[in-house]
Amino acid sequence: MRRRILILGGTTEARELAEQLAGRADLDVKVSLAGRTAQIVPQPVPLRVGGFGGADGLAQYLRDEGIHALIDATHPFAALISQNAVQAVLAAGVPFLALRRPEWTPRDGDRWTSVLGVDEAIDTLGAGARRVFLALGRKETHAFERAPQHFYLVRSVDPVEPPLRVPDAVYVLERGPFGMEPDRKLLLEHRINGVICRNSGGNAAYAKIEAARELGLPVILLRRPELPSAPTAGSVSEAIAWLAHLDASGAERGE
Ligand code: NAP
């Protein structure tokens, strides 16, 4: 019997995992996206889009669809869906793995200030006018209206709507993965003297961190939200190994 695997996606890792599992004759893999971006990135396996209706809705979906294993490969700042996933698998009795990329850690030359959230990031910028590169979710970006003295270079996948009510802002629409050289150029072109971003981990968004290091710029990094404790893999290959182990133990039980 083909085992049904649901991947909660929205990240590069989710897509890579789906790519590596797509050709497997023993698996029936589906990716779930929240549907936040206007243009959905094509996935190598069938897709479902939209919320489930909380933990109960997800548990119901897992039962209705006969899902054999759930892998939460959502972004580390998407804390609610990760919480819901843990509750749902407990209720539905489905094996579960969280695929969580390790956090970035500072290297020689990095000038980081780690903050709890957007408010602390704004306070850390201080009163004097700065030229700031904002690489945050659209949800978090509007908070910066309370510090209108700064220039903002805002990068996002979809337009920030409405635009920030600040006198000086430039918007760049771009989806990762990003490269170190283009990011370095971007920072230079806009004479940026401070970067604000999330400690997302992974490779796709690391270029700005490298570019800031190269240019000696300070970075204000938002710490990750607390995520529920769960069996965790740090990479796509670890997640594939976990699935192989799951298959082996299922076979031993004669499933
Ligand atoms: P969130 O706050 O943790 O979740 C809010 C709600 O969105 C969830 O309760 C769920 O709705 C729905 N949802 C989230 N991810 C889903 C998925 N993969 N499939 C189906 N429904 C999902 O999430 P978020 O921060 O808004 O992020 C939404 C998506 O964007 C995630 O898939 C995440 O991987 C991706 N993303 C987020 C960030 C970020 O910084 N937050 C960055 C890059 C990509 P119901 O309760 O109705 O089920």
Side-chain angles (χ1 to χ4, degrees), residues 7-17 31-33 41 43 72-78 99 101 204:
I7 301 171
L8 299 174
T11 57
T12 308
E13 287 79 3
R15 201 167 61 249
E16 283 174 6
L17 177 61
V31 165
S32 171
L33 298 179
V41 178
Q43 301 288 321
D72 172 16
T74 56
H75 192 273
F77 279 71
L99 172 51
R101 17 162 133 145

Side-chain angles (χ1 to χ4, degrees), residues 45 49 55 73 90 111 117 161 164 180 196-197 202 206 220 230 241 249:
V45 296
V49 180
L90 279 177
R111 295 173 57 201
E161 291 290 354
L164 295 189
M180 143 71 181
I196 303 189
C197 63
Y206 191 61
I220 299 173
S249 45

Side-chain angles (χ1 to χ4, degrees), residues 5-6 19 36 41 98 103 145 250:
I5 312 296
L6 181 65
E19 246 158 40
R36 291 281 184 275
V41 178
E103 286 184 316
E145 290 179 346

Side-chain angles (χ1 to χ4, degrees), residues 13 76 99-105 199-202 224 233-235 238:
E13 287 79 3
L99 172 51
R100 291 185 191 148
R101 17 162 133 145
E103 286 184 316
W104 295 322
T105 51
N199 191 333
S200 299
R224 289 183 175 187
S235 65
E238 276 177 46

Side-chain angles (χ1 to χ4, degrees), residues 6-12 14 31-37 48-58 72-84 101 136-140 157 198 200 225 227:
L6 181 65
I7 301 171
L8 299 174
T11 57
T12 308
V31 165
S32 171
L33 298 179
R36 291 281 184 275
T37 53
R48 68 158 299 286
V49 180
F52 296 96
D56 291 346
L58 178 52
D72 172 16
T74 56
H75 192 273
F77 279 71
L80 188 55
I81 186 69
S82 296
Q83 187 64 53
N84 289 349
R101 17 162 133 145
L136 295 172
R138 280 185 295 162
K139 280 189 281 189
E140 292 129 333
V157 175
R198 295 163 291 199
S200 299
L227 296 170

Side-chain angles (χ1 to χ4, degrees), residues 118-238:
V118 170
D119 278 335
E120 202 182 333
I122 296 170
D123 292 344
T124 305
L125 279 176
R130 309 260 309 256
R131 297 188 63 83
V132 183
F133 178 39
L134 276 188
L136 295 172
R138 280 185 295 162
K139 280 189 281 189
E140 292 129 333
T141 300
H142 279 104
F144 287 82
E145 290 179 346
R146 88 161 161 87
Q149 71 274 31
H150 307 300
F151 160 80
Y152 294 106
L153 171 65
V154 182
R155 180 162 72 188
S156 56
V157 175
D158 289 316
V160 171
E161 291 290 354
L164 295 189
R165 280 175 301 169
V166 297
D168 205 3
V170 168
Y171 299 87
V172 180
L173 294 183
E174 212 180 342
R175 195 193 283 272
F178 301 101
M180 143 71 181
E181 199 41 47
D183 272 11
R184 200 179 76 91
K185 274 196 190 138
L186 189 70
L187 298 180
L188 281 173
E189 183 190 334
H190 294 276
R191 293 177 288 115
I192 295 300
N193 56 24
V195 174
I196 303 189
C197 63
R198 295 163 291 199
N199 191 333
S200 299
N203 298 325
Y206 191 61
K208 58 182 173 281
I209 300 284
E210 288 181 295
R213 182 189 308 133
E214 182 109 347
L215 297 170
L217 300 180
V219 177
I220 299 173
L221 266 182
L222 268 59
R223 284 200 287 278
R224 289 183 175 187
E226 207 163 309
L227 296 170
S229 70
T232 300
S235 65
V236 168
S237 55
E238 276 177 46

